[in-house]
Amino acid sequence: MNREAAAETGVHVDPRASVDRLLRDLRSSRRGLTAREAVRRQVVYGPNALTRRGGRRWPRQILGQLTQPLALLLWLAAVLSWVTGSGALAAAIVAVIVLNAAFAFLQERHAEHAVEALAAYLPPSARAVRDGQEVLVDARLLVPGDVIVVREGDRVSADARLLAGSVEMDVSTLTGESLPVLRSADAGGPLAQRLLEASDSVFSGTSCTGGEATALVFATGMHTELGRIAALSERVGHESSPLEKQVTRVARVIAVVALLMGGAFIPVGTLLAGLPLGDAMNFAIGLLVANVPEGLLPTITLALAVGVRVLAREGALVKRISAVETLGSTSVVCTDKTGTLTMNRMRAVALWTPETGTVTVDAALPPAAGGSGLARLAAAAVACSNASLGADGTEAGDPTELAFLHAARALGLPSGREGVTRLAQFHFDPALRRMSTVDAEGSGAWVHCKGAPEELLPLCRWAAAPGGGRTPLSEAERAQVVAAVDAWAEQGLRVLAVAERSVAGDPAALTRAEAESGLTLLGVAALLDPPRPEVSDAVASCHAAGIRLIIVTGDHGLTARGVAARVGIGGGDIRVVNGTELDAMPEAELDALLGTEQELIFARSSPEAKLRIADSLRDLGYVVAMTGDGVNDAPALHRADIGVAMGRSGTDVAREAAAMVLTDDDFASIVSAVRSGRRVYDNVRKFIVYIFAHATPEVVPFLLYAVAGGAVPLPLTVMQILAVDLGTETLPALALGREPEEPGTMERPPRERGQNVIDGPMLARAWGLLGGVSAVLVTGVFLAALLAGGWHYGESTASGHLHAVWVQATTMSFLGIVACQIGTAFAARTQTASLPQIGVGTNRLLLWGIAFEIAFSAAIVCVPPLQAVFGTAVPAPWQLLLLVPFPFVVWGADEIFRWFRRHRALRL
C-alpha cells in the first residue's frame, strides 16, 4: 500500500517487507479473514473499484463552449442582427453557436472516459479464502488482508503478495512487457527497485497465463498500481491545441478592435463630423459587424471535421477535432516499437548448429532430413513450447515460440507436438532466462531447454553430432557460438539457444537444477520481429519534414536498437536509455539529453517515465505526438499534445485516453496524419486570408463616410455586410478547407509551438494587398454609381430620386465585394506557388462555391422579397460590366506579389 493509502486508512504496511511482517501489519493470516472481519474492513477501505473524482462537469463545459471568444463574437453578431431588425439572421447565427458548442462538447467528452475503461480490467469476481474456505466473492468486496487464489486464466483483482506457489503473469497492461513473467512466492533474490518488478507480487489488472498461487492482498481500488495510473490519467487535463489558442488570441484582438472602433466613432461622428446621433449609431453598428468574422468559427470547425473524415479513410480515427491541426505542427514523435514499427510477429531469420553452421531461414531453405542438426534443433524447440499453429493459418501463443514453429514448418518438419507427451514443465524464469520441459518421446524421456545463450551455454557439456549422437563441446565450438551470438546481437536480433538431454530414472523426480545440467547444445536461433515494410519510407518522410523520432518502449533496448537501425531511426550509434537510468536522471540532465536534437531509445519505460519525457519535450518547445497501446500508456497519451493509440492491439484505456486511434496500428498512418494535419493547417490559413481580406473593403467605405462627415453616404448596409459574411463568403471558405496540399508540404520543417497561425505577413497580404485592392475597386464602383445617377458631394440620399440611386450604389458595393471575393478565393488557394502550378480546376468544390456565391448574390439583387430585406436594386448592364475585371485584378495583384516572394527566396 502506498503512503497515500496508508494516510487515508490509518494502516501502515510495506509491501516489500517479509511475508510474516506483512501478515502482522495487515492483521491477517494464511487462512485469510473471517467473513465478518471482511465486512468491517469494507467500511474502512471502501469498495475495490476505480472511481472518478469530482462531480458533474458537463454544465461548466457547455458554458465554456458557449462563451469562448469566437462564440462571444458570434453572440455579438446575433445581437447586432436582432437590433437591426433581422431576426432570421440572428436565429441562424445562434444556431451556428449552439451546433459548434454541442459538437465540441461531444468531442471533449470522449477524452474523459479513461477511468471507466480502466474499470474493465477489474474482473467481476475473485476467489478468496474466507473462514478458512475458498469462496467466490464479488471482486468489489476484496479488502487488504484478504487471501486470494490465482489460477491460470484468472485476472487479478487487487495488488497482492504471493504466499505459496508460482504463476506466469501477463503484465503487459502495466509494464508494456511483451512476454509473460514468472512470479513466485519463493523468488528470493535482491529487492526490486520498483514495486512492479517485484518477483513475488501480482497486481490488479494483470492476467495469469499459467500456474497457481495464493496471495495476500495489500492494496485495493484506487490504491493499487492500476488505480495510481487511473489517477494519473484523470489529473492530466486536456490543453487547447496550438490553433485553438491562437484563434482565441486573435478573436480577442478582433473583439477589442471592433469595440474600440465602433465605440470611438460615435463621439467622433457626432462631435467632429457633425453627424446626427442616429447616423453615428448606425455607423458604429456597421463598423462592428464589418469587423466581426461571423463565418470564421464554423469554417474552422467544419474544415477540421473534413480533416477528420480524410484521416478516417487513411486508418486514423481522430476523437478530438483540434487534434487534426496539432498533428500538422508535430515536431517530435515518441513511438512504441512492437506492433507500430514492427509487425508484432516474431520470426526466425537464421539458425546455427554444430553440424551445419549458420543457415538462413527463408522460402528457399531445403527440407531438413530427419536426424540432422537442423531437425533436432527444430524438434526440441517445438517440444519446449506451448504455442500452436492451426492448419487454417490461425496461431496462438507466445510470439517467440511461434517463431520456432514457423521455422520448423519452413524446414518441412512437424510444427506440432504430436507424439510428444509433456511430463513436467519448468516455466520461463526471468532471472535464469530459460525454460525447460520434460517430455516422453518414443521409448524414453527427454529434457528440452531453450533460453539466453549466455545462460544456457555454461550448462552444456556436449554438442550435437551427426546421426543423433553427441561429442564433447570444445572451446572452439563455444567460441563459434559466442561469435554467432555477438554478430546477431549487433544487428539487434533476439538470440536463443536450444539444448536437450536424455533422462535416466524417474522423470517426475527431477529438480530444475538436475534437469538443466549436462545438456547437449543443439544450436542457436536468431529471431526478428520484422519491421513493417512501409515504415522505412515513413521514417524518411519524417526526417525530410524535420520531425524527430524517439522510441519509447517497454521492451529491451538491444531489440529496439536493431529495429531502429533497420527502419532508419537514429543510426548505428543511437543512444539507449533504460528505465533504471532514466529514473535516476535529474530533470536538468533529461532536458539536456532531449534538447540535443538526436534521436533516442528509451527502453523498459514506466508510466512516470513516459510522462517525464512528454513534459520535458513540451517544456523545451516541441509539439509532441506519443503512441501507446497499454494501460500504462494512458497518462502519457493524455499529457502529449496528441496521444496516438493502437486500434488492433491497444487496450480500451489507451484508446479512451488518446486523441487519435490507428485502426491498423501502423506507424506510416501517423505520417499520413501529419501530412493531413499540415494540409489542414495550411488550408485554415488560406481561408483566414480569404475571410480577413473582405474586412478592408467593408470597413474602408465606412471610414470614408466618417471622414467626410456624412457628406458621402454609407456605402453598405448592415444587412449587406451580413449577407457577405454569412452568405456569399461561407461556401468558398469551406472549399478552401478542402484544398489539396501544396508542393513541398512534407519538405519543410515543423512550425514552432509559439508560431502564430495569423502573423504579420499574413495580415499584410489579407488586409493590405488583397483587401486594399478590393477596397479601392469597391469604393470606386460605389462612387461611380452615385455620380452617374446625378449625385453631388454633400447631397442627402435619404429620399427621392437620389435614394434610389443610393440603393443602386450600395448594391454595386455589395456586388463589387462579391466580385473581389472570387479573385481572392483563387489567390488564397496557394501561399507561395503560382495558380497555374496547382491548376485552376483542381478544387471543384471551390468552383461550385463560387457558382453558389454568384447565384446567391443574384437572388439578393433580383428577387423582390430579398430586395426589401437587404436593400438592393438591379444595376444597369454597364454597371455589371464594370465588375467583370475585378476578380482578375485582385488575383493578378496577389500573383505578382507571390512571384516576387518566390524569386527573393531563391536569391536568399
Side-chain angles (χ1 to χ4, degrees):
M1 185 180 304
N2 56 30
R3 294 179 181 177
E4 182 181 350
E8 292 184 9
T9 62
V11 178
H12 300 274
V13 298
D14 180 4
R16 303 193 205 187
S18 66
V19 171
D20 291 338
R21 173 69 179 270
L22 197 58
L23 286 168
R24 187 196 72 184
D25 290 346
L26 288 170
R27 302 187 304 281
S28 184
S29 71
R30 295 177 183 268
R31 291 176 52 82
L33 302 174
T34 64
R36 193 172 294 174
E37 174 64 18
V39 172
R40 283 196 292 266
R41 295 196 182 194
Q42 188 73 35
V43 177
V44 177
Y45 292 96
N48 177 34
L50 303 181
T51 58
R52 179 189 293 279
R53 296 186 175 125
R56 292 186 302 174
R57 290 176 285 184
W58 63 265
R60 184 170 66 251
Q61 291 173 334
I62 292 179
L63 181 63
Q65 292 296 335
L66 293 174
T67 56
Q68 62 164 308
L70 275 178
L72 291 175
L73 289 178
L74 290 177
W75 282 117
L76 178 60
V79 171
L80 291 175
S81 300
W82 179 78
V83 168
T84 55
S86 179
L89 276 176
I93 297 173
V94 170
V96 169
I97 298 171
V98 173
L99 287 174
N100 274 285
F103 188 75
F105 169 74
L106 291 175
Q107 292 295 328
E108 285 187 359
R109 292 288 292 175
H110 277 298
E112 297 181 356
H113 298 310
V115 172
E116 285 83 352
L118 279 163
Y121 282 88
L122 294 179
S125 60
R127 285 187 284 266
V129 178
R130 298 273 174 88
D131 297 314
Q133 301 293 321
E134 180 183 326
V135 294
L136 198 65
V137 300
D138 188 334
R140 292 171 55 88
L141 301 181
L142 288 179
V143 293
D146 259 323
V147 173
I148 59 175
V149 179
V150 180
R151 296 192 178 98
E152 182 176 350
D154 289 348
R155 187 180 292 165
V156 181
S157 309
D159 291 1
R161 178 78 169 270
L162 296 185
L163 297 176
S166 62
V167 286
E168 279 190 334
M169 300 299 300
D170 177 3
V171 296
S172 59
T173 54
L174 290 178
T175 67
E177 183 70 51
S178 59
L179 298 177
V181 296
L182 180 68
R183 295 288 186 255
S184 174
D186 303 322
L191 193 66
Q193 294 188 4
R194 294 187 297 176
L195 183 59
L196 280 175
E197 297 175 352
S199 57
D200 57 357
S201 298
V202 293
F203 299 94
S204 176
T206 61
S207 300
C208 178
T209 59
E212 181 177 340
T214 57
L216 174 67
V217 173
F218 61 80
T220 59
M222 293 299 288
H223 304 310
T224 63
E225 291 297 302
L226 188 66
R228 181 177 57 81
I229 293 176
L232 285 173
S233 300
E234 191 174 19
R235 289 166 188 161
V236 178
H238 160 62
E239 291 189 8
S240 300
S241 75
L243 179 62
E244 289 174 318
K245 294 177 181 177
Q246 293 170 26
V247 169
T248 299
R249 190 182 307 121
V250 170
R252 288 173 180 157
V253 172
I254 292 174
V256 171
V257 170
L259 291 172
L260 289 178
M261 290 182 67
F265 273 100
I266 293 177
V268 169
T270 54
L271 299 178
L272 299 182
L275 298 174
L277 180 60
D279 290 345
M281 287 291 295
N282 193 24
F283 166 77
I285 291 174
L287 198 60
L288 282 171
V289 175
N291 274 287
V292 174
E294 290 90 349
L296 183 59
L297 181 62
T299 304
I300 288 177
T301 302
L302 291 175
L304 293 176
V306 168
V308 169
R309 290 195 295 271
V310 171
L311 289 175
R313 290 197 296 268
E314 296 176 353
L317 302 179
V318 177
K319 296 169 52 184
R320 195 175 70 239
I321 192 169
S322 61
V324 178
E325 179 272 332
T326 309
L327 277 165
S329 59
T330 299
S331 53
V332 175
V333 175
C334 297
T335 177
D336 198 358
K337 176 189 69 66
T338 304
T340 308
L341 298 178
T342 68
M343 301 289 290
N344 196 20
R345 192 170 61 238
M346 195 78 73
R347 292 293 181 266
V349 294
L351 303 172
W352 179 93
T353 69
E355 178 183 340
T356 62
T358 300
V359 176
T360 302
V361 179
D362 55 29
L365 187 67
S372 68
L374 289 175
R376 291 176 67 182
L377 169 64
V382 169
C384 187
S385 168
N386 294 311
S388 63
L389 287 178
D392 57 353
T394 59
E395 54 186 47
D398 179 76
T400 303
E401 295 184 344
L402 286 170
F404 280 109
L405 303 192
H406 281 287
R409 182 171 289 182
L411 289 166
L413 299 169
S415 59
R417 300 179 62 251
E418 297 83 0
V420 178
T421 302
R422 177 73 54 82
L423 302 176
Q425 175 177 327
F426 300 103
H427 292 283
F428 175 78
D429 188 326
L432 301 176
R433 299 173 65 192
R434 60 182 180 266
M435 166 193 175
S436 299
T437 60
V438 183
D439 303 295
E441 187 174 0
S443 58
W446 295 80
V447 172
H448 298 115
C449 185
K450 68 176 187 293
E454 57 269 29
E455 302 295 336
L456 205 58
L457 199 57
L459 304 178
C460 295
R461 293 177 52 195
W462 312 91
R470 64 179 187 177
T471 60
L473 183 61
S474 66
E475 290 301 321
E477 287 174 320
R478 290 181 187 271
Q480 289 179 3
V481 175
V482 171
V485 169
D486 289 345
W488 286 333
E490 289 177 359
Q491 302 173 38
L493 300 176
R494 185 178 185 188
V495 185
L496 290 179
V498 180
E500 67 178 14
R501 59 159 290 192
S502 60
V503 177
D506 183 9
L510 280 177
T511 65
R512 180 163 200 159
E514 293 170 343
E516 296 174 346
S517 62
L519 298 172
T520 299
L521 178 67
L522 300 178
V524 292
L527 309 180
L528 170 69
D529 183 3
R532 292 177 177 269
E534 62 276 13
V535 166
S536 295
D537 291 339
V539 168
S541 296
C542 283
H543 291 159
I547 298 173
R548 179 182 173 197
L549 301 175
I550 295 175
I551 297 178
V552 186
T553 178
D555 284 342
H556 194 281
L558 187 61
T559 305
R561 173 181 282 173
V563 172
R566 288 175 178 270
V567 300
I569 297 178
D573 58 345
I574 186 172
R575 179 173 175 181
V576 178
V577 181
N578 61 44
T580 305
E581 182 183 353
L582 179 60
D583 290 343
M585 190 177 292
E587 296 296 331
E589 186 177 343
L590 177 61
D591 289 347
L593 175 64
L594 292 173
T596 59
E597 300 295 335
Q598 64 176 320
E599 295 185 329
L600 304 163
I601 295 174
F602 290 93
R604 304 298 191 198
S605 300
S606 65
E608 291 84 358
K610 288 193 171 186
L611 270 178
R612 286 186 65 198
I613 293 167
D615 282 337
S616 178
L617 288 168
R618 286 166 54 88
D619 289 343
L620 291 169
Y622 297 101
V623 178
V624 183
M626 179 168 289
T627 71
D629 55 8
V631 174
N632 60 314
D633 295 321
L637 293 176
H638 257 307
R639 183 58 178 158
D641 292 288
I642 173 141
V644 183
M646 303 298 110
R648 290 181 179 175
S649 61
T651 61
D652 289 340
V653 182
R655 288 192 287 267
E656 288 291 346
M660 186 175 81
V661 179
L662 299 182
T663 58
D664 53 5
D665 293 8
D666 191 350
F667 179 82
S669 296
I670 301 177
V671 179
S672 297
V674 170
R675 182 186 299 275
S676 294
R678 289 193 175 191
R679 176 173 52 79
V680 167
Y681 179 82
D682 288 347
N683 290 347
V684 167
R685 284 176 58 90
K686 290 173 185 178
F687 64 65
I688 289 178
V689 166
Y690 172 76
I691 291 173
F692 277 27
H694 308 141
T696 307
E698 290 175 356
V699 171
V700 167
F702 279 91
L703 296 178
L704 178 63
Y705 166 78
V707 170
V712 176
L714 280 169
L716 280 169
T717 67
V718 173
M719 291 303 299
Q720 289 168 357
I721 292 174
L722 289 175
V724 170
D725 291 349
L726 292 177
T728 65
E729 179 179 90
T730 304
L731 286 187
L734 290 176
L736 288 172
R738 297 291 298 271
E739 190 70 29
E741 66 177 83
E742 286 190 54
T745 297
M746 288 297 285
E747 280 73 48
R748 65 173 187 258
R751 64 185 185 276
E752 297 179 1
R753 176 181 289 274
Q755 181 179 338
N756 292 324
V757 65
I758 302 174
D759 52 26
M762 178 182 176
L763 292 179
R765 182 188 177 199
W767 285 342
L769 177 60
L770 294 169
V773 172
S774 299
V776 170
L777 295 175
V778 170
T779 304
V781 78
F782 169 72
L783 294 176
L786 281 178
L787 294 173
W791 172 83
H792 295 87
Y793 183 79
E795 286 187 278
S796 173
T797 59
S799 60
H801 167 70
L802 287 182
H803 180 72
V805 171
W806 174 75
V807 170
Q808 197 170 55
T810 59
T811 302
M812 288 302 296
S813 296
F814 166 71
L815 292 177
I817 291 177
V818 172
C820 290
Q821 279 182 326
I822 297 174
T824 302
F826 282 107
R829 288 191 60 197
T830 172
Q831 298 184 86
T832 55
S834 66
L835 184 60
Q837 280 183 279
I838 62 174
V840 176
T842 51
N843 189 342
R844 294 187 178 181
L845 286 176
L846 180 61
L847 300 180
W848 283 110
I850 291 173
F852 169 81
E853 182 177 18
I854 294 172
F856 181 75
S857 302
I860 287 177
V861 171
C862 300
V863 177
L866 295 179
Q867 287 178 336
V869 172
F870 291 97
T872 58
V874 179
W878 69 268
Q879 291 175 324
L880 293 176
L881 288 175
L882 291 178
L883 302 176
V884 173
F886 280 22
F888 300 96
V889 173
V890 174
W891 164 75
D894 189 71
E895 189 73 28
I896 293 171
F897 166 75
R898 282 181 278 113
W899 182 86
F900 276 111
R901 192 163 65 177
R902 287 196 304 271
H903 281 69
R904 191 175 77 170
L906 289 175
R907 288 196 298 269
L908 296 176

